[in-house]
Amino acid sequence: MGINREEQFLCNALAEVLAGKETPHPEKGTDMDRGLELAYAHKVHPLLYECSDWEEVSAEWRERLKRESRKIVSQNYRLLFLTKYLTSVLEENGIGTAVLKGVGVAQLYPVPELRKSGDIDLLVSRKHLAKAEELMKEAGFVREEEQWTRHHVSYVTKEGISIELHIMLAEEIDFPALNQYMNGKEEEFLAHTIRKEIMGIPLPVLQDAYQGLYLLIHMTQHFMKAGFGLKLLCDWVVFWNGTVAEEEQEKFARLIEESGLGAFSDIVTQCCITYLGLQEEKLLFRKKEDVKCKEFMEDVFEAEEFGKSSADRMVAMRGNGIGDYIREFHRQMKITYPRASGNVLLWPALWCMTFTGFIYRNYTRRNVSSLAVLKKAGSRSRMMKELGFFTEEKGDRKK
């Protein structure tokens, strides 16, 4: 299939914007409103702010772009100063932290204020979590009643801003080598934190090699769930198009070898070179030249922001056989019932509860059949296998 005219325009426009250049006008026949709807679905529309002055854009979209871009700028400054406050409170009480994503990545964009961010993610040591939670409550933040994952604890402000205290780099996924690598790795990441001025505010962020690896882990996590859209690829482009020292790139190469993420790094990097203006000459770490990008980009465009394009999108697995479905189902059971799953005798009951919950959520929350969800998971897993994702063992990359 490949990508259509509007998708190609969006890629071309983002490539220029990420390089600090003017947005190119679309080719004749491009439906600009459709292109902007696509940008909105991927939450990269503020980056196209200058398009609001184009004749090709409808009056409705001109006003929408201006209105929403201004709202994003205002929101980003609120997040910036709240991040400063939170990190200061934690550090004053002896808790080291690192800002993940968010403003830490936004500062790499030509206009940092236009990179959409919705929450604040802070990495803290597991041993400091209890104290950090105590400080959060004292500061007036409310712990969310339902905590959907084990790798972070979620709080919310009175204004509805979500704050996540991460004690793991990501939740476990159907990728054993990466799960093993991430186990306890947050301490190493915290040990490689530096203070950097972001939009005029000094904040603790990861050193470049670890920042690059975290961005890749974050993409992997979302890809293995329902997928992710263009915004995360834009983050990858501005990160590597910036000034990353040779020493940090060499360290990053070692880290992806250790983590088993080499194949995924290859496909993401090559897609960003092909479609989004990543400057190949700036990259020193190895990448394959024969990577096929079309299928991956089709999945990215279909996913939109974090797989929100359709209700039937679900996890991708290492395979699409019955054993792969059973393994993923068992993993979901352990995530849903982390304490009870420690007792093997309870597994039959927990399997029934997990399966019932799966059907109920699909029907009531997503309005989709569980069969459709399973079929979609199988098709995404086949695509992943065909492209050779996650086929390398740690330390198996060719020199």
Side-chain angles (χ1 to χ4, degrees):
M1 286 177 53
I3 64 176
N4 61 37
R5 191 191 304 269
E6 286 72 31
E7 291 168 343
Q8 188 62 62
F9 160 73
L10 182 54
C11 285
N12 294 342
L14 289 172
E16 297 297 304
V17 167
L18 299 178
K21 301 176 182 179
E22 291 186 5
T23 309
H25 280 258
E27 292 183 7
K28 186 176 180 179
T30 301
D31 184 341
M32 270 303 298
D33 282 11
R34 169 61 188 142
L36 291 173
E37 286 285 359
L38 190 63
Y40 182 81
H42 287 261
K43 303 308 178 198
V44 295
H45 56 292
L47 301 176
L48 305 182
Y49 177 77
E50 68 178 53
C51 296
S52 59
D53 293 326
W54 290 2
E55 294 180 358
E56 296 93 336
V57 177
S58 66
E60 179 184 353
W61 256 108
R62 290 179 194 174
E63 179 58 32
R64 187 178 181 182
L65 264 182
K66 291 178 179 179
R67 181 179 66 252
E68 297 202 9
S69 295
R70 289 166 184 156
K71 185 168 68 174
I72 293 298
V73 170
S74 177
Q75 170 79 345
N76 282 339
Y77 275 111
R78 283 199 295 271
L79 292 174
L80 174 64
F81 291 111
L82 181 55
T83 302
K84 171 59 177 173
Y85 170 74
L86 289 167
T87 55
S88 295
V89 168
L90 292 172
E91 290 172 347
E92 288 168 3
N93 286 273
I95 301 176
T97 185
V99 178
L100 302 175
K101 304 179 283 125
V103 295
V105 175
Q107 57 97 18
L108 299 169
Y109 282 72
V111 183
E113 295 87 346
L114 291 178
R115 191 267 187 189
K116 186 181 183 301
S117 298
D119 56 13
I120 295 173
D121 299 86
L122 301 176
L123 181 65
V124 298
S125 172
R126 188 186 303 270
K127 63 185 179 185
H128 292 146
L129 179 61
K131 178 63 176 177
E133 290 208 68
E134 182 182 323
L135 292 169
M136 294 288 287
K137 293 173 184 176
E138 289 178 0
F141 302 112
V142 179
R143 195 179 197 272
E144 296 201 49
E145 290 185 10
E146 291 187 279
Q147 301 288 326
W148 295 103
T149 68
R150 292 187 292 170
H151 74 288
H152 64 64
V153 179
S154 297
Y155 280 81
V156 66
T157 69
K158 294 178 181 178
E159 298 78 20
I161 297 174
S162 177
I163 302 166
E164 297 177 355
L165 299 179
H166 291 246
I167 55 172
M168 296 170 58
L169 299 177
E171 63 181 274
E172 288 190 358
I173 54 178
D174 188 17
F175 188 6
L178 181 60
N179 294 334
Q180 181 182 357
Y181 174 81
M182 290 192 300
N183 186 24
K185 210 68 175 180
E186 65 276 359
E187 297 292 348
E188 180 179 333
F189 274 63
L190 286 167
H192 289 85
T193 300
I194 58 175
R195 188 162 292 276
K196 183 179 291 187
E197 191 167 290
I198 298 175
M199 297 163 64
I201 303 294
L203 292 172
V205 296
L206 297 171
Q207 293 175 3
D208 282 344
Y210 287 85
Q211 179 78 286
L213 181 59
Y214 180 76
L215 292 177
L216 195 63
I217 289 173
H218 182 61
M219 279 190 279
T220 305
Q221 178 185 13
H222 281 290
F223 177 79
M224 293 288 284
K225 292 170 72 174
F228 64 83
L230 289 170
K231 187 171 72 170
L232 298 191
L233 293 184
C234 289
D235 289 347
W236 194 248
V237 171
V238 296
F239 178 75
W240 291 111
N241 275 354
T243 306
V244 180
E246 181 176 345
E247 178 184 352
E248 289 297 306
Q249 291 207 39
E250 291 174 350
K251 188 183 298 182
F252 171 78
R254 292 196 298 271
L255 291 174
I256 59 172
E257 181 179 350
E258 293 170 4
S259 65
L261 284 174
F264 192 60
S265 175
D266 288 337
I267 187 69
V268 167
T269 300
Q270 192 58 49
C271 283
C272 287
I273 291 171
T274 303
Y275 292 96
L276 291 169
L278 177 56
Q279 299 173 38
E280 185 172 5
E281 64 274 12
K282 288 199 171 187
L283 305 176
L284 300 178
F285 57 89
R286 181 190 176 276
K287 57 193 180 303
K288 296 177 182 176
E289 301 296 338
D290 59 347
V291 170
K292 297 178 181 179
C293 300
K294 183 171 71 86
E295 293 87 348
F296 182 72
M297 288 301 292
E298 287 175 357
D299 189 78
V300 168
F301 274 109
E302 181 185 315
E304 298 178 359
E305 189 191 32
F306 302 136
K308 294 179 181 178
S309 60
S310 58
D312 64 349
R313 288 185 68 88
M314 189 185 156
V315 296
M317 302 170 294
R318 282 180 290 154
N320 58 320
I322 185 65
D324 299 295
Y325 284 99
I326 293 173
R327 183 179 61 249
E328 176 60 25
F329 181 72
H330 182 70
R331 191 181 68 82
Q332 291 294 334
M333 179 273 287
K334 295 176 70 175
I335 291 174
T336 307
Y337 305 103
R339 293 183 180 178
S341 61
N343 187 338
V344 178
L345 297 177
L346 295 177
W347 282 6
L350 297 178
W351 288 332
C352 292
M353 292 166 63
T354 302
F355 184 66
T356 302
F358 172 69
I359 296 175
Y360 176 79
R361 285 190 297 273
N362 288 332
Y363 179 74
T364 60
R365 295 184 184 179
R366 306 169 76 182
N367 193 29
V368 65
S369 73
S370 296
L371 181 60
V373 173
L374 294 173
K375 284 183 177 179
K376 188 64 176 182
S379 66
R380 293 191 69 232
S381 298
R382 281 192 294 273
M383 180 270 293
M384 185 176 72
K385 186 175 181 179
E386 289 170 3
L387 292 179
F389 289 165
F390 318 130
T391 56
E392 296 173 347
E393 295 295 330
K394 292 189 288 185
D396 193 38
R397 283 171 71 78
K398 295 178 182 179
K399 302 298 181 184

